Amino acid sequence: MEQVAYNRSYDEHEDLINSVYRAFQDRCQELPDETRTKRRLRHLVLLTIKDHTSSHAERFVLYHFFSDFFKAVESDDQAALAVLKQIIRDEKNY
């Protein structure tokens, strides 16, 4: 499996990532379980990012973070997930 590399540029964007992740999580709660497909979740992330950011620089960071996050979940890369979960301050297992 492909290892997800932790991007140190996330360090100064933790609050932004955390707030957008929480908004994404809230939107996910509204989806019925049977419609939570990988494609639907990725689309929901894009919509959430668009709704909660105003600059291309913010969106760029968020796109990369969520890309790394989904890759880590799909490949069950626990080391990468541990680092990414520290950023979003989440203790939930994926």
Side-chain angles (χ1 to χ4, degrees), residues 7 12 34 48 51 53 68-69 71 76:
N7 184 344
E12 58 194 56
E34 60 274 4
T48 305
D51 290 346
T53 57
D68 287 349
F69 185 79
K71 285 178 188 173
D76 196 29

Side-chain angles (χ1 to χ4, degrees), residues 2 16 22 40 56-57 66 76 90 92:
E2 176 183 329
L16 172 65
R22 298 287 173 228
R40 182 79 185 253
H56 291 291
F66 280 102
D76 196 29
D90 192 358
K92 185 177 174 183

Side-chain angles (χ1 to χ4, degrees), residues 16 49-50 52-63:
L16 172 65
I49 290 170
K50 184 178 177 186
H52 288 84
T53 57
S54 57
S55 75
H56 291 291
E58 290 176 338
R59 289 180 185 152
F60 183 80
V61 169
L62 290 165
Y63 292 150

Side-chain angles (χ1 to χ4, degrees), residues 71-89:
K71 285 178 188 173
V73 170
E74 290 170 4
S75 65
D76 196 29
D77 185 345
Q78 294 301 314
L81 277 173
V83 172
L84 296 170
K85 287 179 358 181
Q86 287 177 349
I87 294 170
I88 57 175
R89 302 174 201 121

